[in-house]
Amino acid sequence: MTKQEKLLLIDGHSILNRAFYGVPMLTNAEGLHTNAVYGFLNILFKVMDEEQPEYLMVAFDVHAPTFRHEKYEAYKGTRKAMPEELREQVPVIREVLESMGIPIVTMEGYEADDLLGTLSRKGEAEGLAVTILSGDRDLLQLATDTIKIRIPRTSRGRTEVSDYYAADVTAEYEVTPEEFIDLKALMGDTSDNIPGLPGVGIKTATKLIVQYHSIEEAQAHLDEIKPKKAMEAFRDHFDLAVLSKDLARIRLDAPVSFEKEQAAVGELYTEQAYDWFRRLEFRNLLSRFDEQNRNVDRLPEVQIMKDLGWIDEVLRNAEKLPQFGISAQFSGKKPCGIGLAIPGTPAELYYIPLDGFVSGMYLAAELKRLLTGNAKIAVYDIKELLRCIEIPESGQIFDIKIGAYLLDPLRAAYPYDQLAAEYGGLTIPSAEELFGGKKLPEPGEMKEEQAAKYLAWMALAAVTAAGPMQTRLEETGMYSLFRDIEMPLVWTLADMERAGIRVRREALDELSGTLGAQISVIEERIYAAAGEQFNINSPKQLGVILFEKLQLPGGKKTKTGYSTAADVLEKLAPDVPMVADILEYRQLTKLKSTYADALGGYVQEDGRIHSDFNQTITATGRISSSEPNLQNIPIRMEAGRQIRKVFVPEDGCVFVDADYSQIELRVLAAMSGDRNLIEAYREAKDIHRTTASQVFHVPFAEVTDLQRRNAKAVNFGIVYGISSFGLSQGLSITRKEAAEYIEKYFETYPDIKAFLDGLVEKAKDCGYAETLFGRRRPIPELSAGNFMQRSFGERVAMNSPIQGTAADIIKIAMNRVHRRLRAEGFTSRLILQVHDELLIEAPEEELQAVSALLEEEMVHAADLAVALVADVHSGHSWYEAK
């Protein structure tokens, strides 16, 4: 038998809308929202793979009144406006579909539903099996024995599809597809503002249509209709039912033609579509494109050099150039390959592998020589190289990853291929494409050809993007930030990573045992208070114990059980010892598992932990730590502080620790220019007691501890744009009291209020917040349609300039300390940074000099209206030094 050909019709706006709400918000490097387009394409490809249609068309609504609006002016009058984040994706999906050669159908005066209905009947008349894909169940009225309606549901990026032929509609809704129209006529539709009959819901409507099959037949048996309320609705408002039926009926005679040739499915994966997928950063969809359809720029062949004479000639010529790109790979500390890109038309690409006479020692020497020469060198992630080779700090090196971070700090990652496309207009295959979407192989495990392309393309991306990126940094006023703070910081962090911090393994074991014993004692107390043993780590079991068995107040039951989140338990803890024990149990078990038990796995052969310091992660400019995260060790509780005891200096050395005192408050005072706050700092008084004295109108000497604590919460809360609700939660006071505290604070420091309001207005105007040193933080949330997102954006606009300036200052201090330790011949080395704290490992004989150096550089890192203060301590463990 001949296979019946198939026509797939897609309800464009419906699927796009469903995808928008089903896929988490995504943006590309340009800041364009892409989640709806991504979800649409995933649904399209899933259904295309399943249906294998010969013909395909997508219908879209147009922004114009239809015949339904002429019949009923209020039609769709209650529908909310489309979110801006979705609206901007409508023209994008249309262009993407057009790039794939997929026909798009629109017509003024008609909705997409009418076009789909008409086309489905025309396709059916030509003997085609028809599938309609839509998220709108109104289209179920179009189902027949040969027309199938598919309704997708997208959740967490996964798509499931329900199928309906005529019999399926009847099985689920008890009415035929034709009767489905009458069902809508009675029950109405709030989303389309179709009135229906007043007081008739889905149960009554279904019962009536099952019995009478149409509204007209039901009206003919008016006296028999039950219940009485429905009969009265028919009697008094039958005209609304007739109107609603006309509005709900999908037209099958729209003036739209169906030409099989125009709807025929051709090559979807075109060069134009590939460009779109790359621009939108849909990496996992690129594998659908055949090699010949990938519109990759004609890249020069990568020349693999193994002859020493040839290598020497190419490298010497490169050194004479004004700029070139370079990359390298290491297996452990030994280089196993160098990539080189020499700009030109076309560019020259080279790869030098570890092979034969080309030894690791030779590669390391050549790499050092190239990186310390006179030419400007473009690289991608120079810290990866500095981890393995030591070279002097150089202003000739331009790291495109650092530059991209400054220009767009909100991105999760900065792949080299995206930077080449965005800043150099060059299409280079990504690592995922090169390695088939798999995890990047270890350097020593890459095939030679793959390694050659990977490193050469990375070098090409660097040299292509560097020039335009520098221009952009200069245009935005961030080039000095890049040149004077961020690039020098790479060397500082690389040295810190190489140095690492020593750990006493036996102390870790002792701490684990101590914590385990404490946990056991608390467990027994909890079981005794509960009257039974249960899984304390199970929120469900804990909720039952607290809110059902013990009948504690404040239980909020959700679908999965009672909430036992920290904020719920913290309200009960002061009055219920068992709840206080549970909170302590959680803290101790986290300390044990995350630190006492886990840190040992990070200790390397030298007895030290070499954490990664991430420079391109946080939007505010702060440095983060990972593998392991040493910045997140809790120090507000004594058990957390105990963890610092396991970190010790080498024999004969001490730790020197310095911490900025209230740096963000000092930055706030300086940036706002508030005379009262500046004067308070200049008098060197207790700033929180001073604030309490002025806010609560009591003499300085009579400020109570509670008043000081509340003033401290307001002081620090203002920096983070705290709300009255947030302050009330933190201080366990009413929202009204919290609002009064904030109001009194701004009365005391009036210039701060004006300053913070000005930050928000400026950010709304230009779309970003800015630090004293020119660092920009984009705030797209300020233009969001959602109130909560806009409120978040306003808080970011207030705190980013303050937090970001503080982050800039600590980076300046780090660079200065690092440079001076090297320049003045100290053996001491900077080994750790935790927010506003720096830690140096120093020989005991250098203690006094290094302590003075550390304080001097931190205090003079920035010249503000309020002096910076650094508290310096020393000790034979991190615990003692802090």
Side-chain angles (χ1 to χ4, degrees):
M1 294 179 61
T2 304
K3 175 181 175 289
Q4 186 179 21
E5 290 188 322
K6 188 175 294 183
L7 167 64
L8 173 61
L9 300 170
I10 298 178
D11 187 350
H13 271 108
S14 173
I15 297 302
L16 192 68
N17 187 73
R18 186 162 293 258
F20 177 76
Y21 290 104
V23 178
M25 200 67 73
L26 301 171
T27 56
N28 71 344
E30 304 170 28
L32 177 70
H33 290 88
T34 59
N35 63 316
V37 177
Y38 180 74
F40 186 106
L41 291 172
N42 272 303
I43 293 172
L44 170 66
F45 291 144
K46 175 182 173 64
V47 174
M48 287 287 290
D49 290 344
E50 293 172 351
E51 295 287 330
Q52 297 291 312
E54 284 77 18
Y55 306 99
L56 171 64
M57 302 178 82
V58 181
F60 280 96
D61 294 317
V62 293
H63 190 64
T66 68
F67 67 88
R68 291 183 178 85
H69 293 91
E70 295 174 5
K71 289 177 177 288
Y72 184 53
E73 189 176 348
Y75 179 66
K76 291 190 176 181
T78 56
R79 183 165 291 189
K80 292 182 179 179
M82 183 183 294
E84 187 57 38
E85 296 88 347
L86 173 57
R87 184 185 304 279
E88 71 180 36
Q89 298 184 65
V90 175
V92 175
I93 188 60
R94 291 186 59 159
E95 289 195 48
V96 170
L97 293 175
E98 287 172 356
S99 76
M100 300 171 72
I102 297 175
I104 292 175
V105 187
T106 61
M107 184 168 290
E108 283 197 21
Y110 291 86
E111 295 183 53
D113 291 1
D114 303 312
L115 306 180
L116 294 169
T118 302
L119 291 169
S120 68
R121 290 303 191 264
K122 291 188 174 185
E124 185 181 43
E126 294 205 24
L128 302 177
V130 179
T131 295
I132 302 176
L133 180 67
S134 174
D136 187 354
R137 292 184 180 270
D138 290 351
L139 274 77
L140 293 177
Q141 63 182 271
L142 299 177
T144 69
D145 292 340
T146 56
I147 296 177
K148 176 174 61 177
I149 314 300
R150 307 201 71 185
I151 309 288
R153 181 173 65 86
T154 302
S155 178
R156 299 182 182 273
R158 297 184 61 185
T159 300
E160 298 177 358
V161 183
S162 300
D163 295 341
Y164 296 89
Y165 285 104
D168 301 308
V169 176
T170 303
E172 183 163 332
Y173 294 95
E174 302 180 54
V175 296
T176 66
E178 179 67 24
E179 293 169 348
F180 194 81
I181 306 170
D182 293 81
L183 186 66
K184 288 288 293 284
L186 293 183
M187 58 184 283
D189 187 336
T190 55
S191 65
D192 288 339
N193 201 30
I194 295 176
L197 274 187
V200 177
I202 186 170
K203 290 185 178 179
T204 300
T206 302
K207 180 179 178 182
L208 290 173
I209 298 304
V210 167
Q211 182 175 359
Y212 297 110
H213 305 293
S214 72
I215 60 171
E216 291 82 6
E217 188 65 20
Q219 175 70 5
H221 295 79
L222 181 63
D223 295 338
E224 302 172 13
I225 292 177
K226 295 180 181 180
K228 182 180 178 182
K229 186 177 180 181
M231 182 272 289
E232 291 173 346
F234 262 91
R235 183 191 64 201
D236 300 336
H237 302 288
F238 184 63
D239 59 324
L240 285 180
V242 173
L243 171 64
S244 297
K245 183 172 181 177
D246 194 34
L247 295 174
R249 182 186 294 279
I250 294 173
R251 297 304 187 262
L252 307 178
D253 56 355
V256 58
S257 63
F258 172 64
E259 302 292 339
K260 290 174 66 174
E261 297 76 15
Q262 295 178 1
V265 175
E267 176 55 64
L268 301 179
Y269 306 108
T270 64
E271 291 184 0
Q272 295 79 11
Y274 185 79
D275 284 344
W276 265 111
F277 281 41
R278 284 185 61 88
R279 177 184 170 189
L280 297 173
E281 299 170 16
F282 297 158
R283 298 179 172 280
N284 61 334
L285 298 181
L286 292 176
S287 60
R288 288 180 168 270
F289 290 80
D290 294 330
E291 190 68 38
Q292 62 268 25
N293 290 332
R294 300 186 181 192
N295 185 21
V296 179
D297 292 333
R298 292 183 175 273
L299 298 177
E301 182 183 350
V302 180
Q303 301 181 66
I304 300 175
M305 300 191 295
K306 299 182 180 181
D307 178 77
L308 289 175
W310 186 20
I311 294 171
D312 186 70
E313 179 186 353
V314 170
L315 296 186
R316 297 303 172 270
N317 289 336
E319 289 177 297
K320 299 173 185 176
L321 298 171
Q323 186 179 38
F324 60 89
I326 197 168
S327 64
Q329 259 190 342
F330 293 78
S331 181
K333 297 289 184 180
K334 186 173 77 171
C336 57
I338 295 176
L340 189 69
I342 296 176
T345 309
E348 297 176 31
L349 303 183
Y350 299 98
Y351 172 65
I352 311 171
L354 179 69
D355 185 88
F357 291 110
V358 182
S359 65
M361 187 178 299
Y362 174 82
L363 288 177
E366 291 301 305
L367 196 55
K368 284 185 179 182
R369 195 165 54 75
L370 290 170
L371 292 172
T372 53
N374 295 321
K376 287 195 69 173
I377 300 181
V379 298
Y380 174 83
D381 200 357
I382 184 65
K383 186 152 70 73
E384 283 293 316
L385 308 186
L386 296 179
R387 282 186 178 130
C388 303
I389 60 169
E390 292 189 58
I391 61 169
E393 183 184 319
S394 171
Q396 293 295 97
I397 295 176
F398 190 105
D399 188 338
I400 64 169
K401 187 176 181 182
I402 301 294
Y405 165 67
L406 287 180
L407 292 168
D408 187 2
L410 302 186
R411 286 165 63 169
Y414 303 89
Y416 68 83
D417 58 299
Q418 289 185 18
L419 304 187
E422 187 174 347
Y423 294 97
L426 180 65
T427 303
I428 300 176
S430 65
E432 291 87 346
E433 293 172 72
L434 178 59
F435 297 105
K438 300 174 183 176
K439 183 181 177 182
L440 195 70
E442 293 297 321
E445 298 174 0
M446 286 186 187
K447 296 177 181 178
E448 185 175 80
E449 184 180 346
Q450 286 181 324
K453 290 180 178 179
Y454 178 61
L455 291 180
W457 288 346
M458 197 183 301
L460 178 60
V463 77
T464 301
M469 190 177 286
Q470 178 171 331
T471 300
R472 180 71 178 134
L473 287 167
E474 291 168 348
E475 291 171 348
T476 56
M478 286 193 286
Y479 185 62
S480 60
L481 175 67
F482 170 84
R483 180 193 61 215
D484 301 332
I485 298 178
E486 292 293 347
M487 282 303 298
L489 185 67
V490 178
W491 273 262
T492 302
L493 297 180
D495 280 355
M496 289 167 59
E497 290 179 358
R498 275 198 304 270
I501 184 168
R502 186 183 177 199
V503 174
R504 288 178 55 228
R505 285 182 178 272
E506 64 275 13
L508 271 178
D509 295 337
E510 291 170 8
L511 180 61
S512 180
T514 301
L515 289 172
Q518 292 175 335
I519 291 167
S520 296
V521 170
I522 295 174
E523 274 182 339
E524 292 305 316
R525 288 208 304 261
I526 294 171
Y527 294 151
E532 64 177 276
Q533 289 195 5
F534 64 98
N535 184 357
I536 303 172
N537 296 312
S538 166
K540 187 174 183 179
Q541 293 185 34
L542 179 60
V544 170
I545 292 290
L546 296 179
F547 302 114
E548 292 186 6
K549 182 175 182 179
L550 300 181
Q551 292 290 300
L552 295 181
K556 297 178 182 178
K557 198 163 189 179
T558 65
K559 292 180 179 179
T560 56
Y562 292 96
S563 172
T564 59
D567 61 333
V568 174
L569 300 188
E570 283 167 0
K571 293 177 183 177
L572 298 170
D575 302 316
V576 186
M578 174 188 173
V579 175
D581 282 339
I582 291 168
L583 288 172
E584 186 177 4
Y585 170 87
R586 286 181 176 179
Q587 291 174 329
L588 294 178
T589 52
K590 182 176 181 180
L591 287 175
K592 186 176 186 300
S593 62
T594 305
Y595 298 104
D597 294 342
L599 283 177
Y602 292 100
V603 179
Q604 297 185 14
E605 292 180 2
D606 59 359
R608 304 172 75 92
I609 286 177
H610 298 264
S611 182
D612 294 337
F613 294 101
N614 307 304
Q615 196 175 350
T616 60
I617 297 294
T618 68
T620 58
R622 280 190 177 274
I623 299 164
S624 69
S625 166
S626 59
E627 300 298 321
N629 183 357
L630 297 181
Q631 294 185 333
N632 209 29
I633 297 175
I635 58 171
R636 292 186 179 180
M637 55 185 296
E638 180 57 29
R641 287 193 291 272
Q642 292 291 323
I643 292 174
R644 291 192 168 200
K645 288 184 176 180
V646 308
F647 298 95
V648 296
E650 292 293 336
D651 296 341
C653 293
V654 291
F655 279 154
V656 185
D657 184 284
D659 197 350
Y660 274 121
S661 172
Q662 301 171 354
I663 186 172
E664 290 182 349
L665 268 179
R666 292 172 187 271
V667 167
L668 172 63
M671 292 184 73
S672 67
D674 188 275
R675 289 168 293 178
N676 293 339
L677 190 55
I678 291 173
E679 190 61 31
Y681 270 115
R682 286 179 176 171
E683 292 179 1
K685 289 184 176 180
D686 179 334
I687 191 65
H688 303 310
R689 192 169 295 278
T690 299
T691 298
S693 172
Q694 296 182 1
V695 167
F696 299 118
H697 304 293
V698 296
F700 182 86
E702 296 178 17
V703 171
T704 66
D705 290 343
L706 177 61
Q707 287 173 327
R708 183 187 183 279
R709 182 173 71 88
N710 289 348
K712 181 178 180 180
V714 178
N715 268 333
F716 287 119
I718 292 299
V719 173
Y720 291 93
I722 198 169
S723 64
S724 57
F725 174 76
L727 185 62
S728 69
Q729 294 293 299
L731 295 180
S732 298
I733 58 178
T734 67
R735 194 166 180 176
K736 182 179 178 182
E737 288 176 305
E740 289 174 355
Y741 283 4
I742 294 174
E743 185 179 349
K744 288 177 181 178
Y745 179 93
F746 286 135
E747 288 175 0
T748 303
Y749 303 121
D751 291 333
I752 291 179
K753 172 66 172 169
F755 168 67
L756 295 176
D757 289 345
L759 289 178
V760 174
E761 290 307 310
K762 181 181 177 182
K764 285 181 178 177
D765 288 341
C766 61
Y768 59 84
E770 191 171 24
T771 73
L772 276 179
F773 298 90
R775 182 186 304 276
R776 294 183 179 184
R777 199 277 197 198
I779 314 176
E781 295 86 356
L782 287 173
S783 58
N786 181 279
F787 172 77
M788 297 299 290
Q789 284 186 304
R790 288 199 308 276
S791 298
F792 170 76
E794 290 176 1
R795 291 195 298 276
V796 170
M798 285 187 274
N799 66 48
S800 282
I802 301 164
Q803 285 183 288
T805 297
D808 291 340
I809 290 172
I810 193 72
K811 287 179 175 180
I812 293 169
M814 292 171 68
N815 288 336
R816 290 186 174 188
V817 169
H818 178 252
R819 284 171 176 165
R820 276 193 63 187
L821 289 176
R822 288 200 155 203
E824 297 178 21
F826 286 100
T827 305
S828 302
R829 50 189 178 175
L830 182 64
I831 60 172
L832 198 59
Q833 183 263 1
V834 179
H835 305 313
D836 305 326
E837 175 188 359
L838 297 182
L839 186 67
I840 290 177
E841 184 178 49
E844 292 183 356
E845 62 271 19
E846 295 179 1
L847 171 60
Q848 188 172 350
V850 167
S851 297
L853 181 155
L854 181 58
E855 182 177 13
E856 179 183 346
E857 294 303 338
M858 290 183 71
V859 166
H860 294 101
D863 184 17
L864 304 178
V866 174
L868 297 174
V869 174
D871 300 319
V872 183
H873 304 279
S874 62
H876 287 89
S877 72
W878 191 10
Y879 179 87
E880 286 184 14
K882 181 62 178 171

